[in-house]
Amino acid sequence: MSARISIDLSSAVPPYEQIRGQISSLLAVGVLPPGSRLPTVRSLAADLGIAAGTVARAYKELEQAGLIESRRRNGTIVVGHPAEPGSTAAAPGAEVIAAVDGLIRTARAAGVGDETVIDLLRGRLAGQSKLEG
């Protein structure tokens, strides 16, 4: 799984938050279904070249959110998916995932960085929320 997680040390987003966000996203799209085992804190930290405490903080926040659970002898496993408040769906449908993948391809082809895409998306979501509210 560590191949799917990467850290951008030049980003303003703290490394633990990058890890938390990426794992949460993998849960949301169903790449990590309930019951999946996550790498140990030490293993993921070594793979990413960061301190174990950074990974531990990310795991702690995911555990507090009810998404993962640390079990002695069984390691850390996925126990749920993040859900939007009031949402009945645990994970987005294939159509939404395809649209997000298309956005990523388009942005990268245009030379737009990942953080800029995320910022643009957050801004558009905030704008839509204001229109709906």
Side-chain angles (χ1 to χ4, degrees), residues 28-29 91-107:
V29 298
E95 185 176 308
V96 173
I97 293 169
V100 170
D101 289 345
L103 170 64
I104 293 167
R105 282 191 301 277
T106 301

Side-chain angles (χ1 to χ4, degrees), residues 21-105:
Q22 290 176 48
I23 292 175
S24 183
S25 294
L26 292 171
L27 293 168
V29 298
V31 172
L32 290 172
S36 298
R37 289 185 65 178
L38 297 180
T40 66
V41 167
R42 288 182 185 171
S43 172
L44 184 56
D47 288 349
L48 296 174
I50 59 174
T54 302
V55 176
R57 181 170 179 185
Y59 278 19
K60 180 179 177 184
E61 290 192 9
L62 290 164
E63 190 164 15
Q64 289 173 341
L67 302 176
I68 65 172
E69 185 177 284
S70 295
R71 299 178 180 170
R72 294 193 186 267
R73 296 194 174 123
N74 289 332
T76 303
I77 63 162
V78 174
V79 293
H81 292 287
E84 292 290 326
S87 172
T88 56
E95 185 176 308
V96 173
I97 293 169
V100 170
D101 289 345
L103 170 64
I104 293 167
R105 282 191 301 277

